């Protein structure tokens, strides 16, 4: 054989042994808090370039090198199942969630090799993990126990003393950290966004990262009170909580950033005082940026400053916003009235709000 015909080492490592009939399984560990398009791209790259039969996603119970408290495992597992439901070669492996204590890869690999002797495993990691591989529990033993592959997510091959096979993947510009603060949500399927909101995952941070602390505390308080009024009136508490949480999400957005939104979606409101713009833009942003596609929520946020909708959900958030105990005045009687009779409470709130605005006509600003 001519020397040029000898395959390189990296190619040799990818050529399956024809005598080995075991299933070739790629193990992909991580927090998956939450799973996103980048994880799926890693799995597809592995299926293609490692000639694997399956990819198993292994959510960690508690990742050893991360100090942040993770979202409960049952939610991370459920979100993975949603994300993988149309991926016949991918599944969730829950052995780390079921095992007490920190999730060490060496324990997982020993367990899986024993449990599935018919599988030939390769453990897949990202570049960032290659750099700190030496910190992993029993790193040397682990590198001998199972094959490792790494995805050069940022396009670079990291130098390492370990026998790690690098595969290529076109960068997917998203991270779980970004998603947890409500950025790049277009990399999350709608069904997963719906799961976030139904289970109140991450969404408080979506608001917290966009408004000052005091406004965030007000948003949480309004969410609680809106939910309380809604439940007392026989309405959907979850829908009400979300409305209250997001009602001021655009309160801190500069006017020059709100103006293009208004021009695009409701130019007729440009004549209103800019202090009210956050309600109109907030309704749009909640729908189009955060993916809460609920016309009643949008309507309630749109009208929350002036109380101009008599939809019961809009009444709840209008009253909760005006009566928020954190505003510092005694609103107990009106809160009690709203609990007992939403319509009567709404009329009183609206009347007293009008009085306030009339009394301050000189600089009549709708600031709620
Ligand atoms: Fe507001
Ligand atoms: Fe508010």
């Amino acid at each position: 054989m001519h020397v040029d015909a000898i395959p390189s080492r990296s190619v040799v490592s990818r050529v399956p042994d024809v005598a080995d009939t075991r299933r070739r399984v790629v193990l992909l560990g991580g927090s998956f808090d939450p799973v996103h398009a980048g994880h799926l791209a890693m799995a597809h790259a592995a299926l293609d370039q490692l000639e694997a039969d399956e990819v198993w996603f292994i959510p960690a119970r508690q990742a050893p090198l991360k100090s942040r408290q993770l979202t409960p495992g049952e939610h991370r597992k459920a979100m993975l199942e949603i994300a993988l439901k149309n991926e016949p070669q991918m599944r969730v492996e829950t052995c780390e969630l079921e095992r007490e204590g920190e999730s060490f890869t060496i324990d997982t690999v020993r367990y899986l090799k024993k449990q599935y002797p018919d599988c030939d495993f390769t453990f897949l990691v990202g570049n960032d993990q290659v750099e700190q591989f030496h910190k992993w529990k029993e790193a040397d033993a682990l590198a001998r126990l199972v094959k490792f592959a790494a995805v050069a997510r940022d396009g670079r091959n990291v130098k390492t003393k370990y026998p790690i096979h690098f595969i290529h993947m076109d960068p997917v510009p998203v991270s779980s950290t970004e998603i947890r603060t409500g950025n790049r949500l277009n990399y999350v399927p709608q069904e997963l966004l719906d799961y976030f909101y139904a289970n109140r995952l991450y969404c408080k941070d979506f608001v917290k990262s966009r408004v000052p602390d005091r406004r965030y505390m007000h948003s949480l308080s309004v969410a609680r009170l809106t939910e309380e009024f809604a439940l007392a009136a026989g309405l959907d508490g979850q829908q009400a909580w979300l409305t209250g949480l997001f009602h001021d999400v655009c309160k801190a957005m500069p006017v020059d950033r709100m103006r293009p939104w208004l021009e695009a979606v409701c130019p007729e409101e440009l004549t209103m005082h800019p202090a009210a713009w956050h309600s109109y833009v907030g309704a749009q942003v909640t729908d189009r940026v955060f993916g809460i596609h609920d016309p009643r929520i949008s309507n309630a946020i749109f009208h929350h400053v002036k109380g101009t909708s008599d939809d019961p959900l809009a009444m709840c958030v209008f009253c909760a916003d005006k009566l928020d105990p954190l505003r510092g005045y005694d609103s107990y009687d009106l809160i009690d009235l709203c609990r007992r009779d939403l319509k009567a409470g709404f009329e009183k709130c609206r009347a007293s709000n009008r009085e306030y605005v009339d009394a301050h006509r000189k600089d009549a600003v709708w600031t709620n």
Side-chain angles (χ1 to χ4, degrees):
M1 183 190 275
H2 189 273
V3 68
D4 288 346
I6 298 173
S8 69
R9 265 192 72 198
S10 63
V11 174
V12 169
S13 67
R14 285 192 284 128
V15 175
D17 179 350
V18 287
D20 188 349
T21 57
R22 294 179 299 167
R23 278 186 294 160
R24 290 187 296 278
V25 175
V26 171
L27 304 175
L28 180 52
S31 305
F32 304 112
D33 193 11
V35 60
H36 55 70
H39 297 126
L40 263 72
M42 270 179 88
H44 279 292
L47 283 175
D48 292 345
Q49 296 172 53
L50 298 174
E51 297 178 20
D53 299 306
E54 296 172 32
V55 177
W56 297 356
F57 287 68
I58 310 175
R61 184 187 181 94
Q62 182 60 50
L65 300 178
K66 287 190 180 173
S67 53
R68 186 178 61 82
Q69 187 68 37
L70 299 179
T71 299
E74 80 225 40
H75 286 309
R76 290 181 288 122
K77 173 181 174 246
M79 291 189 283
L80 275 165
E81 282 167 348
I82 290 170
L84 304 183
K85 71 176 188 180
N86 296 320
E87 300 286 353
Q89 289 175 279
M90 302 179 196
R91 75 163 177 88
V92 190
E93 166 54 53
T94 56
C95 63
E96 290 194 357
L97 293 180
E98 287 151 15
R99 200 169 63 227
E100 291 293 326
E102 286 185 307
S103 305
F104 292 110
T105 301
I106 187 128
D107 301 331
T108 302
V109 171
R110 282 180 179 141
Y111 167 82
L112 290 174
K113 285 189 83 160
K114 196 169 163 194
Q115 241 3 64
Y116 301 95
D118 62 326
C119 292
D120 173 30
F121 292 116
T122 300
F123 206 96
L124 182 64
V125 295
N127 260 359
D128 49 331
Q129 290 153 304
V130 174
E131 281 166 337
Q132 53 180 349
F133 189 80
H134 61 283
K135 295 184 193 166
W136 288 27
K137 185 183 170 191
E138 299 181 50
D140 292 349
L142 179 60
R144 286 192 299 273
L145 189 64
V146 68
K147 287 178 281 185
F148 270 84
V151 172
R153 279 192 292 207
D154 48 8
R156 66 198 172 97
N157 287 0
V158 179
K159 282 204 173 87
T160 175
K161 66 172 184 168
Y162 295 100
I164 296 176
H165 176 84
F166 284 89
I167 61 175
H168 171 77
M169 183 185 108
D170 290 331
V172 179
V174 64
S175 69
S176 295
T177 308
E178 288 173 301
I179 290 170
R180 287 197 299 273
T181 50
N183 294 300
R184 299 187 185 267
L185 294 181
N186 49 327
Y187 288 91
V188 178
Q190 183 63 43
E191 207 178 334
L192 217 51
L193 289 179
D194 293 342
Y195 189 92
F196 293 177
Y197 298 126
N199 294 281
R200 304 189 182 185
L201 300 179
Y202 315 120
C203 44
K204 286 197 272 188
D205 284 338
F206 294 1
V207 175
K208 188 178 184 182
S209 62
R210 282 165 178 81
V211 295
D213 286 350
R214 262 187 75 186
R215 183 62 53 179
Y216 173 61
M217 296 313 292
H218 164 71
S219 301
L220 288 183
S221 182
V222 171
R224 281 192 292 269
L225 202 52
T226 308
E227 180 182 27
E228 194 183 322
F229 292 161
L231 290 173
L235 304 171
D236 182 337
Q238 175 61 14
Q239 187 185 37
W241 183 85
L242 274 179
T243 308
L245 181 66
F246 280 88
H247 83 284
D248 273 347
V249 72
C250 290
K251 184 73 182 173
M253 189 187 273
V255 166
D256 60 342
R257 279 191 54 214
M258 285 198 278
R259 188 182 299 278
W261 275 95
L262 283 180
E263 285 167 351
V265 294
C266 47
E268 63 280 7
E269 308 299 347
L270 280 163
T271 56
M272 304 307 293
H273 194 289
W277 287 8
H278 75 280
S279 58
Y280 315 127
V281 179
Q284 291 295 327
V285 166
T286 301
D287 178 15
R288 297 180 188 217
V289 175
F290 296 108
I292 302 177
H293 304 311
D294 182 330
R296 281 190 77 185
I297 291 180
S298 299
N299 175 72
I301 292 176
F302 187 95
H303 291 283
H304 84 264
V305 169
K306 296 186 178 179
T308 36
S309 167
D310 56 5
D311 180 81
L313 178 63
M315 288 189 205
C316 288
V317 74
F318 174 77
C319 294
D321 188 27
K322 302 296 175 282
L323 303 177
D324 172 16
L326 295 183
R327 289 190 185 279
Y329 56 80
D330 183 5
S331 53
Y332 180 82
D333 287 347
L334 271 177
I335 289 176
D336 191 48
L337 178 60
C338 288
R339 283 194 199 109
R340 288 184 284 107
D341 185 338
L342 178 61
K343 182 105 173 94
F346 173 68
E347 293 302 344
K348 274 210 157 184
C349 278
R350 201 158 56 168
S352 69
N353 196 55
R354 283 221 179 94
E355 265 173 40
Y356 176 85
V357 171
D358 287 344
H360 298 76
R361 180 63 71 184
K362 195 157 53 82
D363 52 355
V365 174
W366 305 82
T367 57
N368 297 306

